[in-house]
């Protein structure tokens, strides 16, 4: 996005709408496809000639795996931007151009859902064979014991041996 108009005049404010072209979000946790995106609406102000303030909003729909069964879930991220950038900031500004996609990419992580479930009643995966239990049961031996109780079971089995 061209910033020439706002960079050349102190105190100048511009209002723009621009397309977001991101097709995926890549972080240390993985790569997530962007299935839809809305235009980014921005207010940009030149502050003191050396910095610009940016306020804006957009929304993305991203496929994120369910925390229990790993099936992809479409999640809407409502992104609100509020940043102050130095005009020499090479992460987002190149000459007189603002890298809108990089700015949205970095801000999206702040609006990431804490936990994603395909449905509240998701049964998850079998811990033995990996079968998605939402699609049917498997033939593995099922125990109703909480796996966090393994240490307690070890204690009881040690008493039986004595």
């Amino acid at each position: 996005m061209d910033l020439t108009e706002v960079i050349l005049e102190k105190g100048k404010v511009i209002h723009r709408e621009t397309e977001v072209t991101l097709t995926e979000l890549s972080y240390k946790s993985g790569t997530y496809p962007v299935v839809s995106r809305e235009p980014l609406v921005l207010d940009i102000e030149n502050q003191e000639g050396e910095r610009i303030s940016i306020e804006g909003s957009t929304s993305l729909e991203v496929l994120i795996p369910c925390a229990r069964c790993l099936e992809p879930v479409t999640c809407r991220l409502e992104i609100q931007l509020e940043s102050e950038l130095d005009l020499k900031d090479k992460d987002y500004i190149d000459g007189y151009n603002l890298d809108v996609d990089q700015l949205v990419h970095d801000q999206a992580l702040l609006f990431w859902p804490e936990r994603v479930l395909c449905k509240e009643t998701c049964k998850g995966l079998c811990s033995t064979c990996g079968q998605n239990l939402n699609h049917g049961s498997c033939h593995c031996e099922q125990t109703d014991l909480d796996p966090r109780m393994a240490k307690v079971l070890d204690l009881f089995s040690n008493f039986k041996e004595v």
Side-chain angles (χ1 to χ4, degrees), residues 103-153:
L103 184 62
V104 170
H105 177 275
D106 293 352
Q107 292 292 312
L109 193 55
L110 299 174
F111 298 91
W112 205 258
E114 191 172 310
R115 185 171 184 197
V116 173
L117 294 176
C118 60
K119 56 187 176 186
E120 284 299 319
T121 58
C122 178
K123 296 176 183 176
L125 302 174
C126 171
S127 60
T128 304
C129 71
Q131 162 79 27
N132 184 334
L133 300 174
N134 296 311
H135 300 301
S137 60
C138 60
H139 300 293
C140 298
E141 185 178 324
Q142 300 296 321
T143 62
D144 291 338
L145 296 175
D146 187 327
R148 294 172 288 185
M149 296 295 291
K151 293 292 183 190
V152 173
L153 289 175

Side-chain angles (χ1 to χ4, degrees), residues 92-111:
Y92 303 113
I93 299 174
D94 182 21
Y96 290 108
N97 292 307
L98 175 65
D99 187 341
V100 171
D101 284 344
Q102 186 64 46
L103 184 62
V104 170
H105 177 275
D106 293 352
Q107 292 292 312
L109 193 55
L110 299 174
F111 298 91

Side-chain angles (χ1 to χ4, degrees), residues 37-49:
R37 62 205 72 57
E38 293 189 9
L40 176 62
V41 178
L42 290 172
D43 288 316
I44 304 171
E45 179 180 359
N46 181 324
Q47 297 181 333
E48 305 165 14

Side-chain angles (χ1 to χ4, degrees), residues 22-25 31-37 61-65 72:
L22 288 170
T23 57
E24 64 184 23
L25 299 175
T31 299
Y32 309 92
V34 175
V35 293
S36 75
R37 62 205 72 57
E61 287 189 347
V62 181
L63 291 179
I64 302 174

